[in-house]
Amino acid sequence: MTTSKARLTALITPVEQEAQNEAKALSQGGRVSRAVSRLRKDSGLGLRTGSAALDLLNEGSSLPTSYQQALNALRSLSPDLVDEMSALLDNEDSTSAIKLLRERTDMDLAGGYHLVQELSGRPDTAA
């Protein structure tokens, strides 16, 4: 069973469309472990969140392919979290915003950094 925290993380972690398509095809062919591995490659998804992402794809959902899409999903799914992160960014405390995001989700450090950069409106120079 997938936790709601893992599902939220899967819905706000960008995964290339090609990887999503390949994972779905692998899963439909019965190669679930390989499908999860394909989603995890280059995305920062952990094992639990990779499994959640595959469940979402098999349910007909799509995953974000960019941090802009991921931020839009986060705004929709957890507006209170976005408000708290925005307040921290207003006080120029991006480190605490990343920490808060990571505490409330299973997002990895790099993903948290990129999502907070997107929220702050700063160009992401470490892409």
Side-chain angles (χ1 to χ4, degrees), residues 2 5-6 8 10 13 23 27 32 34 38 46 51 53 56 62 72 84-85 89 94 97 113 116 118 121 124:
T2 306
K5 188 175 180 180
L8 172 62
T13 301
S27 177
V32 175
R34 180 86 181 197
R38 180 60 185 107
S51 294
L56 288 162
S62 60
N72 290 340
E84 289 178 59
M85 291 167 51
L89 289 171
S94 61
Y113 168 82
V116 167
E118 190 69 36
D124 194 353

Side-chain angles (χ1 to χ4, degrees), residues 2-127:
T2 306
T3 67
S4 58
K5 188 175 180 180
R7 286 178 71 87
L8 172 62
T9 305
L11 288 167
I12 63 168
T13 301
V15 178
E16 293 178 4
Q17 190 62 54
E18 181 180 342
Q20 293 182 45
N21 295 341
E22 288 176 20
K24 198 168 181 180
L26 286 165
S27 177
Q28 290 170 347
R31 300 179 72 190
V32 175
S33 293
R34 180 86 181 197
V36 171
S37 294
R38 180 60 185 107
L39 288 174
R40 292 182 65 203
K41 181 181 178 189
D42 302 326
S43 71
L45 289 169
L47 184 56
R48 194 173 19 166
T49 53
S51 294
L54 184 60
D55 289 346
L56 288 162
L57 288 174
N58 287 331
E59 293 167 7
S61 297
S62 60
L63 306 174
T65 57
S66 70
Y67 282 102
Q68 179 60 54
Q69 290 176 357
L71 180 56
N72 290 340
L74 183 60
R75 283 184 170 126
S76 172
L77 296 166
S78 189
D80 292 341
L81 174 57
V82 174
D83 289 345
E84 289 178 59
M85 291 167 51
S86 294
L88 290 167
L89 289 171
D90 288 344
N91 291 320
E92 298 184 19
D93 193 356
S94 61
T95 301
S96 292
I98 294 166
K99 183 178 179 183
L100 177 64
L101 176 63
R102 295 189 68 217
E103 287 172 354
R104 302 267 182 93
T105 68
D106 289 327
M107 185 162 267
D108 70 343
L109 181 59
Y113 168 82
H114 292 297
L115 199 57
V116 167
Q117 287 295 105
E118 190 69 36
L119 179 60
S120 73
R122 292 183 219 147
D124 194 353
T125 57

